[in-house]
Amino acid sequence: MLLAGAGSVSATASDEARAAMAQLDAANRQLEAAQGARDRVAALTETVKAFEQGLAAIRAGLRSALQQEETLTRRLNAKEAEVASLLGVLQVMGQSAEQQILLHPDGPMGTARSGMILTEITPVLQAEVDVLRRDLEDVENLRILQQDAAARLRDGLTEVQEARATLAQAIADRTPLPKRFTADPVKTAVLIGAAETLDAFASGVAEIAVDEVALQLPTARRLLGMLKDPVRGTLLRAFEEADAAGVTRPGMILATRPRALVTSPAAATVRYQGPLLDYGNVMILEPAQELLVVLAGLSEVYVLTGDVVQTGAPLGLMGSGADGAGTDRSETLYIEVRQSGEPVDPAPWFETARE
């Protein structure tokens, strides 16, 4: 047989791409609804996350459709000789009985025998033709679907930019977040100047607080495996995994898309937010007793040192870059978890897996 079963595979790719486009449409409707929500920041945060999820799904759908098209095309090309032979047989079958009599060396008796044989194999040949026709149609449909999905992806990229801008405006318009303490600028500057490592800075970060309000924090053990992923991304380097230069860091690095939204992995106090050493913009969160979560790599930030944030609250955006239909993840978020002053492997603390 030629390409049996290929149609169901392409149907799966089509279903995935169409479902992804539906996700983006739903996110767009969610954006409209969020404009009038009571808590616009929370609603818009979920909207941006919905757009990012939909965009990721449509990229995956596009890749799947392209792969299936390539698979079908390769299989059709591989069967080119068989297809040519099949077409030749069909052409002979289409000739008139008189032509068959003239062509067959045994005359009418030979033609009769050939007719009986052809009668037996005609259903098989017809099945081959039907499979071929369906697969050619599948290739064409997948190409059309890719064009539609690519257009929807372009629209989605514009829509998510609008959602991010609307979220930023809603954050600017909101009432200030609750404050647990005020950061002493002198103590902060002294600590930054004296700290030669992130470890040294994190160990002394509590010293910058002034007029701190006591809070009953959960124990660190209660949050093990319960932290939410702060951003959509792929694991680039794990805890203490060496990079190309052989450098290791006591945290994990996620590769993210440009302008990806970063949210709080738990209800926490922002112990510090600002530039630090060679880590760029650093944010240190305190979600539990003797537990700190360090995030480094954000470009825009929505919170200040001393703020108290809820789980899933928007913290900021990753840097800008060329976003599009490809798989480029040009931005990196460094995540470090420190328990009782010591860095530990962050992976077990988060409840969901990387993309």
Side-chain angles (χ1 to χ4, degrees), residues 41-42 45-46 49 52 167 171 174 177 217 223 226-232 260-272 283-288 291-295 298 300-304 307-318 333 335 337 349-352 354:
V41 171
T45 297
E46 292 304 313
K49 291 168 68 175
E52 291 181 347
L167 173 60
I171 289 172
R174 72 182 175 188
L177 293 173
L217 298 177
L223 292 186
M226 301 297 291
L227 298 180
K228 310 290 185 182
D229 278 353
V231 70
R232 291 187 64 88
L261 178 65
V262 181
T263 57
S264 181
T269 301
V270 181
R271 277 291 173 184
Y272 174 76
M283 188 176 299
I284 301 179
L285 305 174
E286 183 186 31
L291 188 70
L292 296 177
V293 177
V294 180
L295 304 175
L298 284 79
E300 295 181 27
V301 293
Y302 298 146
V303 295
L304 301 172
D307 285 351
V308 177
V309 296
Q310 298 302 311
T311 304
L315 299 178
L317 298 176
M318 299 300 295
L333 181 70
I335 304 175
V337 174
W349 291 84
F350 291 88
E351 68 174 16
T352 54
R354 306 277 85 76

Side-chain angles (χ1 to χ4, degrees), residues 45-219:
T45 297
E46 292 304 313
T47 298
V48 172
K49 291 168 68 175
F51 268 115
E52 291 181 347
Q53 182 177 353
L55 288 168
I58 203 168
R59 289 184 181 101
L62 272 168
R63 287 194 299 271
S64 179
L66 178 60
Q67 290 167 358
Q68 296 308 325
E69 181 199 340
E70 291 174 346
T71 298
L72 286 173
T73 301
R74 283 196 303 269
R75 291 168 70 175
L76 285 168
N77 291 339
K79 293 290 185 178
E80 185 174 1
E82 188 174 343
V83 169
S85 176
L86 172 62
L87 292 176
V89 172
L90 293 177
Q91 184 176 12
V92 171
M93 289 176 61
Q95 293 175 343
S96 66
E98 291 76 13
Q99 290 174 313
Q100 292 180 25
I101 292 172
L102 291 174
L103 290 173
H104 202 285
D106 293 335
M109 290 298 294
T111 301
R113 294 191 193 97
S114 299
M116 293 172 65
I117 295 172
L118 288 175
T119 301
E120 293 177 358
I121 67 172
T122 296
V124 177
L125 293 174
Q126 186 60 50
E128 297 278 10
V129 172
D130 291 342
V131 171
L132 176 61
R133 182 184 296 111
R134 286 196 301 271
D135 290 336
L136 290 171
E137 290 173 353
D138 283 341
V139 169
E140 183 61 26
N141 290 336
L142 283 169
R143 288 173 179 169
I144 294 173
L145 178 65
Q146 288 177 64
Q147 294 174 356
D148 293 342
R152 189 65 191 89
L153 177 60
R154 289 191 294 271
D155 292 341
L157 290 170
T158 300
E159 292 161 358
V160 74
Q161 290 173 2
E162 178 186 349
R164 288 169 181 152
T166 306
L167 173 60
Q169 186 59 53
I171 289 172
D173 294 341
R174 72 182 175 188
T175 57
L177 293 173
K179 283 278 186 183
R180 185 178 176 187
F181 64 87
T182 302
D184 186 304
V186 176
K187 291 182 178 180
T188 301
V190 169
L191 181 61
I192 292 174
E196 297 182 355
T197 63
L198 176 58
D199 183 83
F201 183 85
S203 298
V205 73
E207 299 174 5
I208 69 176
V210 177
D211 300 326
E212 184 169 351
V213 177
L215 291 179
Q216 185 64 38
L217 298 177
T219 62

